Amino acid sequence: MSAQVTRIKPEADQPLPGNEVQKERSMVLQKEMIASHYKALAASAETGCKVVYTFVPGNLNELIGSFDNLLPVHPEINALQNAMRKRTGKMVLEAEKLGHSEDVCAYVKADIGMARSGNIGPSGTRIPDPHLLLLSYTGCFTFLKWFELLREEYNAPVAMLHTPYQGDGIVTDSMRAYMVRQIKEEVIPKLEKVSGRKFDIDKLREMLARSRQAEDDLVAVLESAKNVPSPIDAYFGAVYYIGPIFSAFRGTEAAVEYYRELRKEVEARLAAGQGPVTPEGEMGPERYRLVVEGPPNWTSFRDFWKMFYDEGAVVVASSYAKVGGLYDQGFRHDPEHPLESLADYCFGCYTNLNLPSRVALLSKYVREYQADGFLINSIKSCNSFSAGQLLILREVEQRTGIAGGFVESDLVDPRYFSGANIKTRMESYFQMIEQKRKGAA
Amino acid sequence: MKKNKALEKIQQRCQALYEDLNLATVRAWKAEAPGRKAIGFMPVYIPREILHAAGILPVGLMGADIEIIRGDAYFQSYICHIPRSTIEMAVNGSLDALDGVIFPSICDVIRNLSGMWKMMFPDKYSKYLDLPQNFTPGLAGEYYIAELRTLAADMERLSGHRITDDALRESIRLYNRNRELVLELYDLRAEKPWQVRTVELYLLLRAGNLLPVEEHNAMLEAYREAIEGEERQALDNSRIVLTGAFCEQPPLGLIHTIERSGCYIVDDDFVLGSRFLTAPIPEEGDPVANIAQTFLDHAMETPFVYIAEKEKGEALVRQCRRRRGEGVIFSAASFCDPALLDQPMVSAAVEREGIPYTEFKYAENTGQFQVIKEQTGTFSDSIKLWGNE
């Protein structure tokens, strides 16, 4: 039994040189979900839906969705999708012309650049202005400044949700109570005001129950990479797998269906002993199993991925796939404790963990996923991920005994992706793993 | 003549403290009584009163312009400089006198440095202090009080001294006085910038990073007395407000350079923790609750504090008006997220008000000041020539 693969021609505005892209059926489903969401956004003025901008880590999608007439927009997803379509270079420059420093986060600059160029989103339709900015300040300081900037841009109200950082690696009762209080007394009243409807906790519970189902299936997908060979790529491939659950679809029927389908596909691949599907089709024999830390580069996403699959390298676990929730470590949204559960979700997002917890998690991944390499893609834009990564590299190497590698790029600023440089480093890194194997033998 | 000597003595003491990177002063303080503890803290603000009430010396850490041998191996090129020098000093033993370090929430780099500290120095106390960012009345108080009580319990454990309410009230009184003295000097400088030179004021603030608050208060009072007897020549300089330097500090030479280029700095955000609370903490009632509430009600509007309802840049414009500033210098450390992300909003507000500004970046180890001298000199000249148009 083998998974169904559909060959899709690239979109006209997505110049992917050379071959057609191969996509699994679940990817087609996802594409439809995303397209329908952008359409809903474009039609929001007619449908009367109101628009809530919020961030991926610590997003309260079920809460937003429970109002039925609110649509979320995730600015970092717009930025990365624009980057995959090679559009962010101009946007970043546009923001820099307005006085934004070359030193700061390129997601912010791409978003500002997009807003100042008509706010045309990745789908080619206009992203409506926000009626509310839900500032889920979880694991990233830049989020604070980003929404201050957007507030200036759109003159929209802000609902603040400050998620305390797990500095000591724990969540205390007072941290949780603070979060629940903010959700009850700040976030919900502001959502009610924008929506014009009363908050319905039963609707929230229903959505959380659906989230839970999808989360179970997502974890099964991610953990399939423990098998040798792995049927998935848990970094490049996982970018697609996490898309719906990290964004506008968590808690929806569509997400439940998507993850059910995805799990089936992955289990079929596993049963057939197949490796991951890449943009160029089935990956060849699995030669290297890597754990990767840090977000991917989006402007040259396929080129970067190709450097891996051309060498038979599959990513079996990644921290980026946990940036919107650490489901594989047991967290599930809980309809019985809805607001506490939303708080716990925010606490557990990867960048809200302290460095010792991150090192422990990455080392655990190396062992549990039988990895023979640990690679960091260090992102210039993202101090939340990047500050301290050189120590993380050393610690993980020391604790696991595997070879560590380090490359640098950026999220959506194409000036900071040096393909030749990264390729040379990757080739050397694979040689290093080979040497280590020979030494061990 | 006598007063000049007093001033000279203070200046020399401040300079020596500024150069005391091995914390000899802290070692000496600890040696005076067995069992004394000292805790470092990164910029910008921590409630030093709680440490003081436990008999612990709070030591402000602000990086240093030193040769980096090992610190660079921990940070990529696109990360600011202060964590490099801080790690450098930690691994070369300069910070051995400290029994721990507190990392207040200011940005992701300092936040992650707290985790690095836990891994690199597991035998030392290390605390990330997540200051509230939700300033909606009534929301963050209980959380912050609980955080402060945890910190107080940690300090009690570390020092072996119970923090009584009375001891904490006394500490609050001393730090209120400290803030008052600092602000008086800031007021005096704004009034007579030729009299209170920024380099002197800056070194006085830096001295407060190492000295017990009682001693620092005495030093501030002595300086005030000494400077009033000085007669210094007023120059035809422009009055500028400098902003963006609240964390990583510029080298002393850069502050000299700005002053010498024709700018009187009439307000700034150097060593900002010394005056981060804009109102005194009440000295009666529950002292922990008072510290928390004063933070929530009177934290200074700075780039690392979320501004909920007010207009961005309003505080800087107000500051500029109050200090009769004729221009603003945006002076941020390279790769400083809070300052650089803030700057477009705040500079727009300044521009709307018709206040001229200029901007540059620095690092704590910047060694060439000529370009900055030309820039700030030209800026000062332009204010003089066209400032009132």
Side-chain angles (χ1 to χ4, degrees):
Chain A
M1 185 177 164
S2 88
Q4 186 181 346
V5 173
T6 309
R7 292 178 72 83
I8 295 173
K9 291 198 170 179
E11 292 172 23
D13 62 346
Q14 203 175 349
L16 303 173
N19 299 331
E20 294 170 334
V21 183
Q22 289 200 6
K23 292 190 176 181
E24 290 168 289
R25 185 169 172 275
S26 60
M27 290 175 77
V28 178
L29 268 181
Q30 184 179 151
K31 193 178 158 75
E32 289 167 2
M33 288 161 74
I34 292 170
S36 73
H37 183 63
Y38 280 116
K39 269 188 197 159
L41 284 170
S44 61
E46 290 83 58
T47 58
C49 284
K50 301 289 193 275
V51 177
V52 179
Y53 284 22
T54 194
F55 294 110
V56 168
N59 78 70
L60 306 182
N61 198 60
E62 298 89 345
L63 185 59
I64 295 170
S66 72
F67 283 88
D68 284 337
N69 65 344
L70 301 179
L71 294 169
V73 167
H74 303 91
E76 66 272 57
I77 293 185
N78 289 336
L80 74 87
Q81 294 218 349
N82 276 326
M84 291 174 99
R85 290 162 171 79
K86 312 279 184 198
R87 294 177 188 162
T88 46
K90 277 186 186 170
M91 293 170 177
V92 168
L93 287 178
E94 178 67 28
E96 288 181 0
K97 267 191 243 164
L98 296 167
H100 292 263
S101 170
E102 65 271 25
D103 290 359
V104 302
C105 174
Y107 269 166
V108 179
K109 289 184 284 188
D111 192 37
I112 297 286
M114 184 181 84
R116 291 295 178 97
S117 319
N119 224 19
I120 304 302
S123 68
T125 54
R126 189 177 180 281
I127 305 282
D129 292 357
H131 296 92
L132 179 70
L133 299 163
L134 172 48
L135 173 45
S136 53
Y137 168 45
T138 300
C140 169
F141 175 84
T142 295
F143 288 165
L144 284 182
K145 309 312 294 179
W146 194 339
F147 270 14
E148 281 184 352
L149 284 158
L150 291 195
R151 189 184 57 189
E152 297 269 306
E153 200 69 31
Y154 298 112
N155 197 23
V158 182
M160 172 61 158
L161 179 67
H162 169 207
T163 305
Y165 182 66
Q166 289 201 43
D168 290 327
I170 52 164
V171 175
T172 63
D173 290 345
S174 75
M175 286 160 71
R176 189 176 287 108
Y178 173 42
M179 286 288 285
V180 170
R181 197 163 186 176
Q182 290 180 88
I183 295 171
K184 269 187 190 165
E185 296 180 26
E186 166 129 16
V187 176
I188 290 176
K190 286 187 173 168
L191 288 172
E192 283 180 329
K193 194 172 174 190
V194 167
S195 157
R197 296 178 184 180
K198 287 295 288 178
F199 166 60
D200 181 344
I201 199 161
D202 291 327
K203 275 193 180 165
L204 175 63
R205 287 183 206 277
E206 285 167 24
M207 291 198 74
L208 293 173
R210 287 195 287 271
S211 297
R212 201 182 178 101
Q213 269 180 278
E215 286 156 7
D216 283 343
D217 286 336
L218 171 69
V219 170
V221 168
L222 294 176
E223 293 194 334
S224 71
K226 287 181 178 172
N227 294 282
V228 183
S230 168
I232 65 160
D233 184 284
Y235 185 52
F236 299 103
V239 159
Y240 298 97
Y241 306 153
I242 60 179
I245 210 160
F246 280 14
S247 63
F249 304 99
R250 206 179 61 224
T252 64
E253 280 296 350
V256 172
E257 187 193 338
Y258 168 80
Y259 283 101
R260 194 188 300 129
E261 181 63 30
L262 176 67
R263 183 175 181 172
K264 261 194 265 173
E265 285 174 2
V266 170
E267 285 174 353
R269 299 191 65 75
L270 184 62
Q274 292 174 312
V277 177
T278 75
E280 293 182 57
E282 300 285 334
M283 200 181 106
E286 178 183 294
R287 293 177 61 205
Y288 307 104
R289 296 171 63 82
L290 307 180
V291 169
V292 173
E293 148 79 8
N297 164 269
W298 300 110
T299 52
S300 300
F301 184 80
R302 283 189 65 202
D303 294 339
F304 193 29
W305 190 355
K306 189 171 165 56
M307 291 176 202
F308 287 66
Y309 63 72
D310 275 356
E311 298 286 341
V314 62
V315 180
V316 290
S318 69
S319 54
Y320 184 69
K322 316 296 157 27
V323 78
L326 224 64
Y327 302 109
D328 65 334
Q329 300 306 301
F331 171 78
R332 293 289 182 278
H333 282 92
D334 180 1
E336 298 302 314
H337 303 95
L339 302 189
E340 293 78 5
S341 167
L342 289 173
D344 284 344
Y345 159 73
C346 294
F347 286 126
C349 289
Y350 179 75
T351 48
N352 205 51
L353 305 182
N354 71 2
L355 259 65
S357 303
R358 283 169 61 180
V359 167
L361 183 66
L362 292 163
S363 303
K364 186 176 164 189
Y365 284 158
V366 168
R367 286 189 294 271
E368 289 185 352
Y369 287 77
Q370 303 173 66
D372 43 14
F374 171 65
L375 180 80
I376 292 178
N377 180 37
S378 185
I379 292 291
K380 172 189 170 284
S381 271
C382 187
N383 286 339
S384 179
F385 260 105
S386 302
Q389 277 178 329
L390 287 159
L391 182 62
I392 290 178
L393 181 71
R394 264 171 265 174
E395 286 285 324
V396 173
E397 274 187 321
Q398 203 173 12
R399 292 183 195 189
T400 62
I402 65 166
F406 199 87
V407 293
E408 292 183 60
S409 63
D410 194 41
L411 295 167
V412 297
D413 188 339
R415 294 171 298 185
Y416 294 98
F417 185 84
S418 170
N421 199 0
I422 293 174
K423 194 167 193 308
T424 308
R425 278 204 179 199
M426 292 299 297
E427 285 166 357
S428 306
Y429 178 56
F430 292 128
Q431 283 173 16
M432 197 164 99
I433 295 176
E434 288 294 351
Q435 290 296 325
K436 198 128 188 165
R437 281 176 180 165
K438 281 179 193 161
Chain B
M1 198 63 196
K2 193 180 173 188
K3 283 188 175 174
N4 282 346
K5 274 191 178 167
L7 183 62
E8 206 173 291
K9 199 174 155 192
I10 294 168
Q11 287 168 334
Q12 284 169 355
R13 173 86 167 126
C14 287
Q15 185 70 37
L17 287 166
Y18 177 77
E19 290 166 7
D20 180 15
L21 300 179
N22 290 315
L23 306 184
T25 317
V26 177
R27 285 171 219 271
W29 179 83
K30 287 178 79 172
E32 282 173 16
R36 276 185 168 178
K37 305 286 183 193
I39 297 283
F41 66 96
M42 294 299 290
V44 170
Y45 166 81
I46 66 157
R48 288 176 290 173
E49 293 84 351
I50 290 175
L51 281 65
H52 181 270
I56 292 172
L57 180 68
V59 178
L61 302 176
M62 308 211 97
D65 177 8
I66 53 170
E67 187 183 6
I68 305 294
I69 297 165
R70 285 180 280 183
D72 278 341
Y74 291 87
F75 295 100
Q76 300 90 318
S77 56
Y78 51 78
I79 285 174
C80 58
H81 205 272
I82 186 171
R84 298 164 203 277
S85 56
T86 306
I87 287 280
E88 183 72 31
M89 289 192 289
V91 295
N92 75 15
S94 297
L95 305 184
D96 283 356
L98 300 179
D99 299 284
V101 179
I102 297 170
F103 301 83
S105 52
I106 162 171
C107 71
D108 294 332
V109 173
I110 299 295
R111 185 198 71 183
N112 286 6
L113 187 60
S114 73
M116 293 174 69
W117 219 265
K118 280 188 193 297
M119 289 191 285
M120 294 175 72
F121 310 104
D123 300 331
K124 297 268 179 136
Y125 176 77
S126 153
K127 171 79 182 170
Y128 178 70
L129 182 65
D130 204 348
L131 300 164
Q133 286 284 9
N134 196 329
F135 292 92
T136 304
L139 283 188
E142 285 176 20
Y143 158 74
Y144 190 36
I145 288 170
E147 287 295 295
L148 293 182
R149 293 205 193 283
T150 303
L151 179 68
D154 289 349
M155 294 303 103
E156 286 179 336
R157 198 164 44 250
L158 203 69
S159 66
H161 296 149
R162 197 170 153 260
I163 300 176
T164 63
D165 281 357
D166 283 343
L168 191 47
R169 285 189 199 104
E170 174 59 13
S171 301
I172 287 172
R173 196 187 62 73
L174 285 165
Y175 279 99
N176 276 343
R177 177 66 182 146
N178 190 261
R179 283 184 280 269
E180 186 183 12
L181 288 166
V182 169
L183 285 173
E184 281 173 9
L185 286 175
Y186 265 67
D187 288 344
L188 182 60
R189 181 183 59 169
E191 192 187 325
K192 298 176 182 174
W194 57 91
Q195 196 74 3
V196 181
R197 289 177 188 145
T198 293
V199 167
E200 280 177 9
L201 181 53
Y202 177 75
L203 287 173
L204 273 170
L205 297 185
R206 290 293 296 259
N209 280 344
L210 296 187
L211 295 177
V213 64
E214 298 87 344
E215 204 178 324
H216 191 232
N217 285 351
M219 178 187 263
L220 293 170
E221 283 167 356
Y223 176 82
R224 174 78 193 234
E225 195 183 329
I227 203 67
E228 277 173 356
E230 272 282 290
E231 281 191 20
R232 287 173 169 173
Q233 180 67 44
L235 301 175
D236 185 27
N237 284 357
S238 297
R239 299 169 60 88
I240 66 100
V241 171
L242 183 143
T243 186
F246 47 83
C247 180
E248 181 174 322
Q249 299 294 287
L252 210 50
L254 195 145
I255 302 173
H256 273 298
T257 298
I258 295 170
E259 288 202 293
R260 285 171 185 164
S261 71
C263 294
Y264 278 137
I265 299 175
V266 292
D267 210 343
D268 60 61
D269 54 4
F270 300 136
V271 201
L272 193 61
S274 63
R275 56 205 184 280
F276 182 69
L277 301 179
T278 59
I281 300 171
E283 293 169 15
E284 304 296 326
D286 179 344
V288 173
N290 286 340
I291 293 171
Q293 202 55 47
T294 306
F295 173 86
L296 291 168
D297 294 341
H298 301 289
M300 195 175 263
E301 289 174 37
T302 64
F304 56 90
V305 170
Y306 173 65
I307 305 298
E309 300 299 336
K310 294 176 192 165
E311 196 177 322
K312 287 294 296 182
E314 187 189 86
L316 181 61
V317 170
R318 213 169 44 235
Q319 185 184 15
C320 219
R321 299 284 184 233
R322 190 163 70 89
R323 297 300 194 193
R324 289 182 290 117
E326 298 169 296
V328 171
I329 293 181
F330 289 96
S331 168
S334 293
F335 302 106
C336 174
D337 278 343
L340 293 170
L341 285 160
D342 210 60
Q343 202 167 297
M345 293 178 278
V346 179
S347 61
V350 163
E351 199 167 355
R352 278 196 299 272
E353 291 294 319
I355 301 168
Y357 71 89
T358 189
E359 59 189 58
F360 59 79
K361 290 187 288 185
Y362 64 86
E364 60 188 5
N365 65 341
T366 295
Q368 295 292 329
F369 306 126
Q370 187 57 31
V371 175
I372 290 172
K373 187 175 183 183
E374 284 168 12
Q375 185 181 343
T376 54
T378 306
F379 182 58
S380 173
D381 291 347
S382 71
I383 288 171
K384 287 287 163 200
L385 288 169
W386 302 293
N388 295 325
E389 284 184 6

